[in-house]
Amino acid sequence: MSSDIITMADRFIAATYKRFPIVLTRGEGCTLWDSEGKEYIDFVAGIAVCNLGHAHPRVVKALSSQAATLFHVSNLYYTVPQVELASWLVENSFADRVFFCNSGAEANEAAIKLARRYFQERGESRRYGIIAMDLSFHGRTMATLSATGQAKIKKGYDPVLQGFDFTPLNDIEALRNKLGPSTCAVMIEPIQGEGGIRCAEPGYLKAVRRLCDETGTLLIFDEIQTGIGRTGKLFAYEHFGIEPDIMTLAKALANGLPIGAMLAKENIATAFGPGSHASTFGGTPVVTAASLEVLKVISEEKIIEHCRDIGVYFKEKLLWLKNRHESVEEVRGLGLLLGMKLKVEGEPIVMKCLKRGFLINCIQGNILRFVPPLIIDKDKIDRLVAYLDEVL
Ligand SMILES: *Cc1c(COP(=O)(O)O)cnc(C)c1O
């Protein structure tokens, strides 16, 4: 069965993904099964998406009961789950208003559009430049790949949009030198996910905030990968004692249903008036009802506290591996957004793990990324670490 599916996929689906040769058919908690019945422990979680694991009963129930009640009506009308989700996000963040869309890239598109429009509404129409970081990842649409600091993401798509510039993460002088009268916003991931689990230093982020305040520049945090408890706080900015002006969310926000959100402070958010931006599916009842339930489970069941504790445990185990193996260069990350940089290629290790029943992921060629569901337990971590010890 799996070989037929793989043959058909290779024939009918656009060849944009390099996939592992398994067909996943079922999931529960941190466990997945393929079409042959083989079991895997999931340290990928749909790339930091399924924070509550697979088939969480409360999320399944919220989703199916909303699906049976009201599926979709468009943003021509008010709907209850969308309002409830927006109000939850506002009450639990720095922000005052939320725009809903369907993906991370779309959330960043909204952030970029809002930043430009904010200044154009104030008559500062030449202030449209965005400064992003080297090795950043903000998405695959034209604007968000233009904001992405990796040549491989832009290859073949020239000309990219103008008005984007790049600077090294954690170098405040470089940012100060880039920032000019045409800069409208600085865009940062508090921890670069795709770029290799590279952490912004607390002092750097504080200095960026100060620089933005001094120059009236907007600070955009892309928390698409770091948000919703992943780093051991609801949002990563909470670690640093500062707040952005605009924040984007997606990935884990609905535990696997497509959703994106752009959150902003009141004086900025109001630059979006009726007709200025829109999305057909943005904030549709089914997805927002599921998302609201995800957030309730996370707060009621103390998932973030668990993530913080188990993340420390996992990181210690990875550091133990580093001490034992010459081939491990560095362990980094926060909470359950962890990376292990190797001095060797990561892909063969990922393949071995797959065969042994562990799903892990490799980025930038030699960095193993561990982003399991936040509900992962010590036993599963121990099993992976014991196997990595053997393989390394
Ligand atoms: C995944 C990701 C995106 C893009 O999200 P999509 O839903 O794939 O469009 C943008 N920024 C960051 C930090 C991400 O991790």
Side-chain angles (χ1 to χ4, degrees), residues 47-49 102-108 136-141 144 148 187 189 191-194 222-226 248 250-251 259-260 369:
I47 314 187
V49 167
N102 315 287
S103 68
E106 272 181 86
N108 284 335
S136 62
F137 180 80
H138 296 299
R140 302 288 195 147
T141 60
T144 58
T148 291
M187 194 162 177
E189 298 155 82
I191 299 178
Q192 291 185 337
E194 310 303 310
D222 176 342
E223 292 234 22
I224 289 166
Q225 192 156 155
T226 54
T248 53
K251 288 200 164 77
I259 187 170
R369 173 170 54 179

Side-chain angles (χ1 to χ4, degrees), residues 49-53 56 58-60 62-63 85 88 228 234 250-257 259 287-301 303-304 374:
V49 167
C50 309
N51 281 7
L52 297 176
H56 192 287
R58 280 183 60 180
V59 181
V60 171
L63 167 67
L85 177 60
W88 195 100
I228 323 299
L234 181 59
K251 288 200 164 77
L253 186 51
N255 210 59
L257 288 168
I259 187 170
V287 175
T288 46
S291 173
L292 184 65
E293 190 68 5
V294 166
L295 296 171
K296 283 182 180 166
V297 172
I298 285 180
S299 56
E300 287 165 19
E301 299 185 7
I303 303 291
I304 298 178
L374 306 188

Side-chain angles (χ1 to χ4, degrees), residues 180-193:
S182 71
T183 309
C184 75
V186 174
M187 194 162 177
I188 301 186
E189 298 155 82
I191 299 178
Q192 291 185 337

